[in-house]
Amino acid sequence: MREYLKFYINGEWVDPVEKKTLDVINPATEDVCGNIALGGAADVDKAVMAARKAFPAWSQTTREERLEVLGRILAEYQKRFGDLATAVTEEMGAPANLAQRAQVPIGMGHLATAVEVLKTFKFEEDRGPTLLVKEPIGVCGFITPWNWPLNQIVCKVAPAIATGCTMVLKPSEVAPFSGQIFAEIMHAAGVPAGVFNLVHGDGLGVGVPLSSHPEVDMVSFTGSTRAGIEVAKNAAPTVKRVAQELGGKSPNIVLDDSAFAKGVARGVATMMTNSGQSCNAPTRMLVPKTRMDEAITVAREAASQVTVGDPNGNAQLGPVVSEVQFNKIQKLIQAGIDEGATLVSGGVGRPEGLDKGYYVKPTVFANVNNEMTIAKEEIFGPVLSILGYDTLDQAIEIGNDTEYGLAAYVQAEDLEKARGVARKLRAGQVSINGGGGDMMAPFGGYKMSGNGREWGDFAFHEFLETKAILGYAPKPAAE
């Protein structure tokens, strides 16, 4: 049983202003596995003011000083690799193998990437007589989700540290253990007091006062579009910068060629990763109507190969994160059935032999149209919808017919044709034939999938203001 009853503020572990706790549920067992203190506005104020006090000195540190600090953070992170992996599996149900090969390593990747970018990043540029200077924006508020907890914490913290910002983090109260350990890592790394602060809590108690605090210069939020809209409203009165990575309903267009079966199978496997709890999951597969039956056969076989079970065992899929999430997914699966989609595999209820835990059957629907609920709403579970198209232009039109625009996918034998399709898809990131893993590739969305970009050097710009110093280089005297 974990007990995390203190917050990390100004380099110290401190008691909350008001004693209030929340039980954390292990989604694999439905048992309480720990509890955390719940913060409030007074705790947020203490953390923000600590960050404000630390900002003048930290913002003036040199590139070399920040590189040294990032190096120490990375070293401490590596020391706690096993602890982090165990925590992620316990708090949100990621299979141990996924935690060890993806959930935890991606945090290391963001730290290492920030180091490489910082080594050569141009904070100043001469433009004629004017000097352009990139300066840290100030105090940042970070509100992060439960589905890829370390990815979303570190992809914000690493570039903020690198650019000279100070920060307050509110990790998800649903999966708070990895965030707590990350704060311990920052402390062990000797990050100066007040540069990094952590307050646990829920959206109403901590998220609202953090996003609306007048001493916060920027808020970076990852989560649902609904919550992102509220964050933006909270931030508006103080005209702070808002960067958001929100929901998605990503199309996966499989072209009519000899790589068709491979593309369908890849799409199923990618969809099911992390129990479908990824905002960029390829939830809508588009296939030629003339090959719908073949797609059904291939998808059914691919889904049957996906094992579900104890995340500490060898299963590929663990549970979804919570009872709330489980019930939402079940309701949407039933909606797919009720609205007439063809149930290819899976369906409502837990997988056979799993009577406890928030386990969902790997589910595939076919003959879906873009007006069905399962084609429009973000399900955030292992549920794939297969839609048919007559022409490639129609496939692109259907793919873009969504309020979201975070990611898209193309599967094709002809790379040049795939590139042409990718260019026409309205999404922040498009993957061709399973391409991925580029830590320098910007990540973020069009439309209601958010604004701003994370990862690599693009992330640095989110945390910087641009100052123009006119007359910095006086004109040469006339001869």
Side-chain angles (χ1 to χ4, degrees), residues 252 254-255 257-270 285 291 294 298 302 411-413 433-434:
N252 181 14
V254 186
L255 272 61
D257 57 29
S258 61
F260 179 81
K262 183 179 180 181
V264 171
R266 180 191 288 128
V268 173
T270 306
M285 180 183 292
R291 302 186 75 167
E294 183 182 351
V298 173
Q411 319 292 331
E413 183 179 41
N433 293 335

Side-chain angles (χ1 to χ4, degrees), residues 144-157:
T144 59
W146 46 259
N147 59 320
W148 287 88
L150 288 163
N151 172 63
Q152 291 302 337
I153 289 172
V154 188
C155 80
K156 300 179 193 302
V157 171

Side-chain angles (χ1 to χ4, degrees), residues 2 81-91 99-100 104 177 312:
R2 299 174 188 258
F81 187 102
D83 294 337
L84 288 166
T86 300
V88 169
T89 296
E90 187 176 3
E91 68 188 358
Q100 291 162 6
V104 178
F177 299 158
N312 290 300

Side-chain angles (χ1 to χ4, degrees), residues 142-145 153 169-176 179-180 198-201:
F142 296 151
I143 303 172
T144 59
I153 289 172
L169 168 67
K170 186 203 93 65
S172 169
E173 73 277 17
V174 177
Q180 176 84 11
L198 175 142
V199 178
H200 287 298

Side-chain angles (χ1 to χ4, degrees), residues 431-447:
S431 173
I432 296 174
N433 293 335
D438 183 357
M439 298 297 296
M440 289 293 292
F443 187 72
Y446 288 25
K447 299 185 279 187

Side-chain angles (χ1 to χ4, degrees), residues 318-374:
V320 297
V321 74
S322 66
E323 183 179 14
V324 169
Q325 194 66 18
F326 176 85
N327 290 337
K328 174 193 170 187
I329 295 166
Q330 297 301 311
K331 182 179 178 181
L332 286 166
I333 292 173
Q334 188 60 54
I337 295 169
D338 294 344
E339 291 177 17
T342 302
L343 183 63
V344 174
S345 66
V348 295
R350 291 181 173 86
E352 189 176 347
L354 294 170
D355 299 323
K356 197 172 187 182
Y358 306 124
Y359 296 98
V360 176
K361 296 174 184 176
T363 298
V364 176
F365 284 102
N367 296 306
V368 177
N369 67 62
N370 226 26
E371 298 307 309
M372 291 182 178
T373 303
I374 56 172

Side-chain angles (χ1 to χ4, degrees), residues 2-19:
R2 299 174 188 258
E3 283 200 337
Y4 295 142
L5 304 180
K6 293 179 182 288
F7 304 141
Y8 188 67
I9 298 175
N10 202 32
E12 299 179 334
W13 294 99
V14 301
D15 291 322
V17 173
E18 181 183 347
K19 291 192 180 301

